């Protein structure tokens, strides 16, 4: 069996949905929250080697140490999100690893032959990439650079979930 280019724990599970608020409501029924929501944010990325610009809304919450992400794309611009919805419908999309050495992990993933299908094109900021793994465990593996921004946000979201009493279940971040 070949050695995986990935190290560390799975830090996040991501879902792509048609309706962010309906998805959040479902998670709230399971007692997961509070949810931190960013609405209608522009995202520029390379989609299968071509530049792409979409507008998305995302929501983040934790269940224990595991972060959950829900993503809704607005509009029908071809992207990794519309591709998934067209092929499979709303649901589980990605497992995310947060490597400290993003560049080295991405190099190892590419060397292993995993196609990079979505990667941020912005200069500066936190780097991320979606890759297609050979194993059918997940459609996409997300690599999100673990730096002070990622760490701060993940700590903030996880702390809010600890001992959450159900109040203020949806919290805007923009």
């Amino acid at each position: 069996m070949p050695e995986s280019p990935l190290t560390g724990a799975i830090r996040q599970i991501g879902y792509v949905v048609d309706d962010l608020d309906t998805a959040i409501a479902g998670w709230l029924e399971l007692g997961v929250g509070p949810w931190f929501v960013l609405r209608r944010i522009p995202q520029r990325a390379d989609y299968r080697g071509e530049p792409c610009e979409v507008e998305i809304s995302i929501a983040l919450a934790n269940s224990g140490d595991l972060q959950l992400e829900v993503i809704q794309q607005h509009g029908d611009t071809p992207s990794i999100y519309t591709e998934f919805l067209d092929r499979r419908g709303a649901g589980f999309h990605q497992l995310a690893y947060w490597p400290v050495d993003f560049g080295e992990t991405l190099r190892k993933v590419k060397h292993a032959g995993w196609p990079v299908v979505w990667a941020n094109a912005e200069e500066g900021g936190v780097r991320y990439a979606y890759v297609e793994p050979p194993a059918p465990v997940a459609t996409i593996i997300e690599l999100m650079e673990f730096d002070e921004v990622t760490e701060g946000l993940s700590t903030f979201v996880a702390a809010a979930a600890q001992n959450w009493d159900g109040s203020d279940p949806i919290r805007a971040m923009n």
Side-chain angles (χ1 to χ4, degrees):
M1 179 178 296
E3 184 177 321
S4 174
L6 302 172
T7 58
I10 294 169
R11 301 293 301 268
Q12 180 192 79
I13 296 177
Y15 295 82
V16 173
V17 301
D18 295 309
D19 185 313
L20 189 79
D21 295 306
T22 299
I24 291 171
W27 283 105
L28 289 170
E29 287 182 30
L30 297 177
V32 176
W35 286 87
F36 294 89
V37 180
L38 288 157
R39 295 194 187 267
R40 297 198 168 267
I41 53 175
Q43 186 178 50
R44 279 188 224 122
D46 290 328
Y47 170 49
R48 299 195 179 277
E50 297 295 324
C52 181
E53 188 167 341
V54 296
E55 185 178 66
I56 63 171
S57 292
I58 66 169
L60 302 169
N62 264 58
S63 179
D65 291 334
L66 184 64
Q67 186 177 89
L68 302 167
E69 178 182 38
V70 178
I71 305 166
Q72 176 188 352
Q73 179 179 314
H74 303 283
D76 58 2
T77 300
S79 73
I80 197 66
Y81 308 117
T82 58
E83 175 184 300
F84 179 81
L85 289 169
D86 291 346
R87 287 184 182 170
R88 299 176 182 249
F92 167 66
H93 181 251
Q94 82 240 15
L95 297 174
Y97 291 79
W98 298 345
V100 173
D101 191 339
F102 177 83
E104 178 62 14
T105 303
L106 186 58
R107 186 194 66 72
K108 286 180 180 179
V109 165
K110 287 178 178 179
H111 182 73
W114 298 16
V116 176
V117 295
W118 185 257
N120 67 331
E122 296 292 321
E123 293 297 320
V126 177
R127 296 180 293 171
Y128 66 90
Y130 288 178
V131 299
E132 289 178 325
V137 176
T139 304
I140 297 291
I141 298 293
E142 178 183 12
L143 304 176
M144 174 75 74
E145 182 174 34
F146 191 70
D147 64 5
E148 61 279 349
V149 174
T150 311
E151 183 176 24
L153 181 58
S154 67
T155 300
F156 175 75
V157 173
Q162 289 180 348
N163 304 314
W164 177 58
D165 63 4
S167 63
D168 196 15
I170 301 172
R171 303 172 187 189
M173 291 184 59
N174 60 343

